[in-house]
Amino acid sequence: MRSTGANGLWASLPRDLGERFRPRADPLARAILQEVQRAVPEYAQPLEGAFGQMITQGIRQAILHCLDTVGQGTAPLDKWSAVFRNLGKVEFSEGRSLDCLQTAYRVGGRVAWRHVSEFGQAIGADADLLCTAAEAIFAYVDEISALSIEGYTAAQERAAGTRARRRRRLLELMLSDPPSSPQSIASHAANAQWALPTEVTVVALERRLGPLDPDSADLDADVLVDFEGPKPCLVTGDPDKHLKDLAERLPGWRAVIGPAVRLTEAPRSLLWARRTLRLVQRGVLPDNPVTRYSDHLSTLWLLADEFLVRELCTRSLAPFDDLTPKQRARLGETLLIWLQSRGSAPEIAKKLKVHPQTVRYRMHQLIDLFGDRLNNADDRLDMEIALRAEALLAED
């Protein structure tokens, strides 16, 4: 059974046909080049430098390989394969899609068939030979196209890996404390092909469910991400666009969105995002897939320095020290509502869901414990802050 690959098809042709066609190789190369430059505007440029060498070498190598294979199929493959893989790499490095090169290959195949057909008719070749030659030409076009796709894809993957590493380094520089200089960040951003925004938002991340699978994330290419570091996070300059539907974009992850800050203050955004995350982890804040720092400013302020908060609780709520935990809880709850509302006994009773007489009894106890401090605005503020903080810390 005859091989359907290009080499096998060329090998099935008589050897002398290749030798007889060889003088036509240079005219064919010129005709292919002329037609390719006409059909592909991107190639319609002076044949100078790397581009000229690439296209002329590619055409000549393609023709000579076919002629060397006619009648024997033993032409060296390594050099031939490398040429067309390299063509794919050059296309990527020049910033073109593969469409230009693929079009050039198809055009070259049509021109080659026209010349081969004219040659075959001139020498009186039979129809079967011409059909085999046509089949070989178009199989060859498919094969060199596949080689160029391999080269293009390899260059693309290498560039993506390099860019990913550069963006990871940029992320590290932006979040380092103290931060790197603006000049250094700008230089690394240019190398990483990342447009520097005026402001950035940092999102602290934590894996919630299942094994780590970064590929499951559906994030915009302009988002800087570190999934695998000890403190995973992401950085965006366009939170309205990039953080929309974040729970769906990051399945299995817990995300806490920090404040939008100037680029040089990115570490501050990370700081508050991570502080908020710790409160979520401790149960002080609700455990939602996505938490916004801005929704919990008072809690974050209140617990920004827990040592001071506990000192305030100790001093402001000292009259409770001799009470049982149950008594302290009841009187603390009543005092907090009174401080918040300064309402009447019936109003407070309604909020506590107890009898008004119970509230009056408790208020008398509070007056006995705190005395004139209940009439001092500064003391009342300290007590309210202490009671709110105590309630939050009790959830920890």
Side-chain angles (χ1 to χ4, degrees):
M1 182 176 179
R2 188 180 66 182
S3 170
T4 57
N7 275 6
L9 291 167
W10 291 125
S12 69
L13 296 172
R15 178 65 186 164
D16 69 299
L17 285 181
E19 295 306 318
R20 294 173 67 182
F21 188 87
R22 196 173 290 273
R24 296 172 177 251
D26 286 342
L28 173 58
R30 289 193 294 271
I32 290 175
L33 178 59
Q34 182 179 13
E35 190 65 21
V36 165
Q37 288 192 300
R38 188 192 68 78
V40 185
E42 290 82 355
Y43 293 165
Q45 54 180 287
L47 300 179
E48 300 172 351
F51 170 79
Q53 183 179 6
M54 174 197 78
I55 192 167
T56 54
Q57 180 189 17
I59 293 172
R60 181 172 177 77
Q61 185 68 31
I63 295 171
L64 293 179
H65 176 80
C66 295
L67 292 177
D68 291 343
T69 312
V70 170
Q72 55 185 13
T74 57
L77 295 177
D78 291 344
K79 184 178 179 181
W80 166 75
S81 300
V83 167
F84 296 102
R85 287 195 184 94
N86 190 55
L87 284 173
K89 294 175 182 178
V90 170
E91 285 299 278
F92 178 81
S93 67
E94 293 288 328
R96 291 186 288 265
S97 73
L98 272 172
D99 292 343
C100 297
L101 192 58
Q102 301 285 54
T103 300
Y105 287 157
R106 290 194 295 271
V107 169
R110 288 199 300 269
V111 174
W113 165 239
R114 187 164 65 242
H115 279 243
V116 168
S117 176
E118 291 172 357
F119 167 73
Q121 292 173 13
I123 66 171
D126 63 44
D128 286 343
L129 282 179
L130 290 177
C131 287
T132 300
E135 190 177 354
I137 289 170
F138 294 111
Y140 187 70
V141 167
D142 288 343
E143 290 177 9
I144 62 176
S145 294
L147 288 169
S148 292
I149 290 172
E150 286 181 20
Y152 190 96
T153 302
Q156 193 174 44
E157 290 175 349
R158 184 166 58 252
T162 300
R163 190 177 73 167
R165 288 192 297 273
R166 289 175 176 173
R167 291 194 168 190
R168 173 71 177 273
R169 178 57 181 156
L170 173 62
L171 180 68
E172 292 173 354
L173 289 175
M174 289 172 57
L175 298 179
S176 62
D177 193 10
S180 299
S181 68
Q183 294 81 4
S184 178
I185 290 176
S187 174
H188 279 80
N191 289 335
Q193 299 178 326
W194 195 71
L196 281 178
T198 304
E199 290 188 333
V200 293
T201 298
V202 183
V203 179
L205 302 174
E206 182 185 38
R207 189 67 186 161
R208 301 174 69 229
L209 304 171
L212 175 64
D213 182 13
D215 293 335
S216 66
D218 180 24
L219 296 173
D220 191 278
D222 288 330
V223 177
L224 301 180
V225 180
D226 175 10
F227 282 126
E228 300 175 357
K231 296 181 179 179
C233 63
L234 63 84
V235 174
T236 173
D238 190 352
D240 291 339
K241 174 184 177 183
H242 297 156
L243 303 184
K244 185 179 180 182
D245 301 323
L246 191 57
E248 288 74 24
R249 292 174 179 270
L250 287 172
W253 289 86
R254 176 188 284 122
V256 176
I257 302 172
V261 297
R262 289 178 299 177
L263 186 63
T264 54
E265 295 183 329
R268 187 181 298 275
S269 182
L270 176 62
L271 169 70
W272 286 107
R274 294 208 63 81
R275 283 189 179 181
T276 307
L277 176 59
R278 284 196 292 271
L279 293 181
V280 173
Q281 293 168 335
R282 289 167 53 182
V284 175
L285 297 179
D287 183 10
N288 297 318
V290 178
T291 301
R292 291 184 178 273
Y293 133 100
S294 55
D295 292 338
H296 305 281
L297 293 178
S298 60
T299 299
L300 287 164
W301 167 77
L302 197 56
L303 300 182
D305 190 323
E306 293 189 25
F307 174 80
L308 290 180
V309 167
R310 293 185 189 278
E311 288 289 298
L312 179 64
C313 291
T314 298
R315 185 182 67 82
S316 299
L317 304 179
F320 284 158
D321 287 351
D322 294 331
L323 302 181
T324 66
K326 191 172 183 180
Q327 290 172 324
R328 182 187 178 101
R330 285 198 299 251
L331 289 180
E333 182 183 33
T334 303
L335 177 58
L336 180 58
I337 291 178
W338 178 79
L339 290 168
Q340 290 172 333
S341 66
R342 302 296 294 277
S344 63
E347 291 171 337
I348 296 174
K350 186 175 181 180
K351 292 181 179 180
L352 290 173
K353 298 181 181 179
V354 297
H355 194 277
Q357 191 59 35
T358 301
V359 173
R360 294 188 184 97
Y361 174 71
R362 291 180 186 176
M363 288 306 301
H364 283 303
Q365 288 181 293
L366 290 170
I367 291 170
D368 290 340
L369 289 169
F370 288 90
D372 287 341
R373 292 169 62 184
L374 295 177
N375 299 319
N376 183 287
D378 290 339
D379 286 334
R380 289 199 304 269
L381 177 60
D382 286 350
M383 283 185 277
E384 182 173 354
I385 292 172
L387 287 165
R388 285 175 175 269
E390 216 176 44
L392 289 170
L393 293 172
E395 296 175 13
D396 182 3

